Amino acid sequence: MKDLPAQNISFTDFKLNGFYSLGEWRPFLFIPFFLMFLLSIQANSILIYLIKSQKSLHSPMYVLIGVMAVVDLILPIIFVPNMLLSFLFNWSGISLTGCLIQMFGIHFVGTFQNTLLLWMALDRYFAICKPLNYHKYMEIPNFLKYVVVPVIRNGLLIVTMVSLAGKLSFCVTNVIDHCFCEHMALVQLACGDISVNNIVGLVSAFLIPTADFILITVSYVVIFTSVLKSGKAHVKALNTCITHLIVLTFSLTSALTAFLSYRIRNNISSSNRVFISIVYLFFTCCFHPIIYGWRTKEIRQTFIKFFNNAKVFPLKI
């Protein structure tokens, strides 16, 4: 491959080679990631079924949790099966078109997770700070006002980012040092100027997850202030909000670390960078059902009642 003149090459087929440094140990990664994939699929499927089938869980807050479960169900399906096949059978080939499609799916659905957390924060804000007008604000026509703008923002930025990546010529190598088609993992293989791609990638990172994090933090500060003024009336809400902030901080830190590791000099190894990317995309899909499902009393009670009625195994609250 090195003998070919780079200026005459534009690769259209690539090989995903994440964790290559593990050598003969690489296939063993199949086991933990496969188990996590099964956990994500099963836990989110159960959560979706419970919220859909139980009328008592059809309030706005639970519907948002159900939508989060749908997102957490879709996101791993976009890239985890290919990743598992690569670990087990070394089937790691992907076309440029397939890579761009996967890139769009990963980044668009991934950013949708953050936007959903913003909507959940708005739901908690209206429920705690504007309780008398809660149902008015959460009616679909009114709530769509808060939904449309973030979705359009996400779509425009991700489409722009992926489109610019698709216009590049790739002459450095056709080996992507990653387990899936992350934006900068592909862009860094291009020949020529990629400064515009870098700028658009950074703008997307700071205008979507970072902006959502700031808005969520502001809304929770207002909620905390309201709770403290009202005494013990909404003390339980503090625990929920703090949990949301911890999860979001963890996800945002992982995402920004992965994004910035391509752009600044650092001592992060290739395998660690890939692992960090998997953490913010995949691990959260496994733990969201626990954080937003099991830790919610009404959902937990419905889950226990469902399994006791099904006589699968007896559970107690």
Side-chain angles (χ1 to χ4, degrees), residues 205-216:
F206 286 100
L207 283 186
I208 301 178
T210 308
D212 287 349
F213 177 78
I214 293 172
L215 291 173
I216 291 170

Side-chain angles (χ1 to χ4, degrees), residues 192-209:
D193 184 20
I194 59 171
S195 58
V196 175
N197 302 83
N198 268 310
I199 292 171
V200 172
L202 284 172
V203 168
S204 299
F206 286 100
L207 283 186
I208 301 178

